[in-house]
């Protein structure tokens, strides 16, 4: 036993604050700051409705509307293709809204009280990031609930219980859902951290519109969320295939088949899309949900899981310097 | 007595709760505070007085470790505000100019966060929160969200929160702004009670009657400390001055201090116009 007084190595109790820490992080502070974010979210119903309305507009209206013209993308319907994109959009909104509240919090909210307290800033930031990521997972789960809907075969009635059960069985897989939650969570950490870095540099706040138009929408549109980056699209679908073969194909998970044309994005657009980290996170999400990827999987894994911790450290540094240099 | 002599006559001793030595802060070319030196004895009630934008809040923020000084040094209860920031934070209680509360949370939840941030052990948290609510005469509305509170209730909650962790020095930034006479009276009674227990209090204000009630006053103008002493001494020093206000106007002039709104004020105003989303 070392001289840590019977506690585990790495654990300590700060003499000055009485806060117990593990490797410099105070779990009580992380927890209380996380809980604060969750309580704030749960009391603000407008976020939940926003998430639902975005899902209905993008997934249901655009998904089926544009899907009627664009029959398939590499064997997936347009609704299936856009679903991970809509999840991403909800994650972007949830995490950035959580992060940008910091500007407000700093000038007229609780944050000054936190900054003048002895609580370690890394723990405070961690609580914020975990809060933003948790809200992201909840908000991202709203479009995820529509997963069976986009697997209803074209022409089949969505009100037929048999059709719904088949669609559910084909699309929902516990492992895939768990993996999707993990990806959403990491996406949430990354985007909340990015939001914190932006918020710490914003001197004034005149509404969320600038963030929505200037950050969320570009990241969303330039991530391959609503148009494919490569592959074969279009096609003739099931039109000429006999019913029996269709059933056979459905059973092995193929819902559309046929030829089409090869996607060729303009070089400038390709360059922007390929340098957007959200492209890789979204690709990861599409891979775990649909087993469909357009980017190298190694790049997806790296961006999805290695970038968030780096962003979190920069976010903590930004928070610490925000008031000192004010 | 000149300011330099004042500083020299009071060397750093443990009798001082607050000690500032040539404290300064610049933002690029803008000097927010310049060579501010003063000390506050333990148990003293000290006011920083000055026109709008004079640098009162900057000085207070440097003393409370929120802003780092660009020159000079300061200590609170013997701990350096830069090197021993954590120890300083443990020793001080702070009430900000605008409420630093989470309005979507209840009074109880706000206090509970404070208890955790200051490392109050889990078993003592609930009693400490209850005690603070009672002290603020808010025990009945502890479960209500702060957004439904009046300005006076918020201020009481904040003062009560600021002393929850047993600080030795209390910083109050314009504590009576927006309070009605009842609220103001209540606040003064609370502060008086705290001082009986030996609390050192430093506050900023530009209300003369409040400053006159303090043991000593420091007058700040354009980032510099231009006068320091007991209110009566300051009045006596300026022939023709009958009140502290007369002396104050002689020192700082009669010109208006119109300044552009700060980033902070812009955000506050945005909120007052019905700012969205963030509350």
């Amino acid at each position: 036993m070392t001289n840590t007084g019977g506690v585990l190595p790495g654990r300590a109790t700060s003499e000055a604050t009485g806060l117990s820490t593990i490797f410099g992080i105070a779990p009580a502070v992380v927890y209380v700051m996380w809980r604060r974010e969750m309580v704030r979210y749960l009391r603000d119903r407008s976020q939940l409705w926003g998430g639902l309305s975005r899902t209905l507009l993008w997934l249901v209206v655009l998904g089926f509307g544009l899907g009627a013209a664009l029959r398939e993308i590499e064997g997936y319907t347009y609704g299936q293709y856009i679903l991970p994109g809509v999840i991403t959009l909800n994650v972007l909104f949830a995490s950035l809204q959580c992060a940008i509240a910091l500007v407000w919090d700093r000038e007229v909210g609780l944050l000054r009280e936190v900054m003048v307290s002895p609580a370690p800033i890394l723990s405070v930031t961690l609580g914020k990031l975990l809060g933003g990521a948790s809200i992201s997972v909840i908000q991202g789960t709203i479009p995820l609930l529509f997963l069976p809907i986009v697997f209803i075969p074209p022409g089949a009635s969505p009100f037929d219980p048999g059709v719904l059960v088949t669609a559910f069985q084909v699309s929902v897989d516990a492992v895939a859902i768990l993996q999707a939650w993990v990806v959403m969570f990491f996406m949430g950490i990354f985007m909340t951290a990015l939001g914190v870095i932006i918020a710490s540099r914003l001197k004034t706040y005149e509404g969320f519109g600038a963030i929505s138009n200037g950050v969320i929408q570009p990241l969303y549109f330039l991530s391959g969320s609503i148009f494919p980056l490569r592959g074969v699209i279009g096609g003739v679908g099931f039109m000429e295939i006999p019913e029996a073969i269709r059933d056979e194909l459905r059973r092995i998970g193929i819902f559309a088949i046929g030829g089409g044309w090869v996607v060729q994005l303009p070089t400038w657009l390709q360059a922007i899309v390929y340098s957007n980290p959200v492209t890789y996170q979204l690709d990861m999400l599409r891979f775990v949900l649909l087993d469909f990827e357009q980017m190298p999987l190694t790049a997806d894994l790296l961006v999805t899981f290695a970038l968030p911790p780096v962003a979190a450290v920069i976010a903590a540094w930004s928070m610490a310097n925000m008031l000192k240099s004010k | 007595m000149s300011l330099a002599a004042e500083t020299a006559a009071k060397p750093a001793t443990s009798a001082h709760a607050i000690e500032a030595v040539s404290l300064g802060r610049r933002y690029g070319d803008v000097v927010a505070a310049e060579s501010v030196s003063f000390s506050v004895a333990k148990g003293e009630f000290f006011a920083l007085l000055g026109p709008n934008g004079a640098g009162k809040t900057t000085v207070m923020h440097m003393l409370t470790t929120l802003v780092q000084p660009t020159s000079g040094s300061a200590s609170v209860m013997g701990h350096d505000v830069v090197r021993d920031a954590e120890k300083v934070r443990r020793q001080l209680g702070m009430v900000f100019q605008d409420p630093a509360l989470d309005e979507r949370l209840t009074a109880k939840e706000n206090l509970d966060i404070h208890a955790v941030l200051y490392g109050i052990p889990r078993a003592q948290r609930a009693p400490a929160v209850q005690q603070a609510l009672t002290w603020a005469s808010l025990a009945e509305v502890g479960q209500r969200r702060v957004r439904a509170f009046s300005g006076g209730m918020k201020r009481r909650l904040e003062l009560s929160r600021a002393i929850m962790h047993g600080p030795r020095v209390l910083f109050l930034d314009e504590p009576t702004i927006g309070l009605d006479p009842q609220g103001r009276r209540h606040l003064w009674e609370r502060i008086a009670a705290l001082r009986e227990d030996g609390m050192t209090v430093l506050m900023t204000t530009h209300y003369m009657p409040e400053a006159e009630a303090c043991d000593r006053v420091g007058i700040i103008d354009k980032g510099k400390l231009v006068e320091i002493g007991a209110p009566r001494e300051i009045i006596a020093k300026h022939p023709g001055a009958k009140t502290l206000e007369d002396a104050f106007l002689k020192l700082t002039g009669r010109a208006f201090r119109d300044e552009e709104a700060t980033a902070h004020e812009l955000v506050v105003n945005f909120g007052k116009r019905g700012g969205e989303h963030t509350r």
Side-chain angles (χ1 to χ4, degrees), chain A residues 16 36 40 113 208 326, chain B residues 27 90 102 104 114 276 278:
Chain A
R36 175 194 176 211
R40 284 176 63 84
E113 139 88 1
F208 196 66
K326 206 179 100 184
Chain B
Y27 297 96
R90 192 72 192 83
D102 190 323
R104 267 191 225 165
H114 185 90
E276 37 154 89
T278 33

Side-chain angles (χ1 to χ4, degrees), chain A residues 14 16-17 19 35-36 40 43 104 107-110 112-113 115-118 206 208 323-324 326, chain B residues 27 66 86 89-90 98-100 102 104 109 112 114 116 118 161 264 268 271 273 276-279:
Chain A
S14 166
T17 63
L19 281 169
R35 195 183 57 185
R36 175 194 176 211
R40 284 176 63 84
R43 286 181 188 167
W104 196 259
E107 302 299 341
V108 285
L110 189 79
R112 284 165 304 154
E113 139 88 1
M115 294 308 234
V116 85
S117 81
E206 290 285 339
F208 196 66
L323 282 181
K324 273 186 202 150
K326 206 179 100 184
Chain B
Y27 297 96
L66 283 175
E86 198 190 313
R89 289 171 183 194
R90 192 72 192 83
D98 297 289
D102 190 323
R104 267 191 225 165
E109 287 164 342
D112 192 54
H114 185 90
V116 173
Y118 283 82
R161 179 177 69 178
H264 174 77
V268 172
R273 292 197 306 270
E276 37 154 89
H277 271 339
T278 33
R279 282 224 153 156

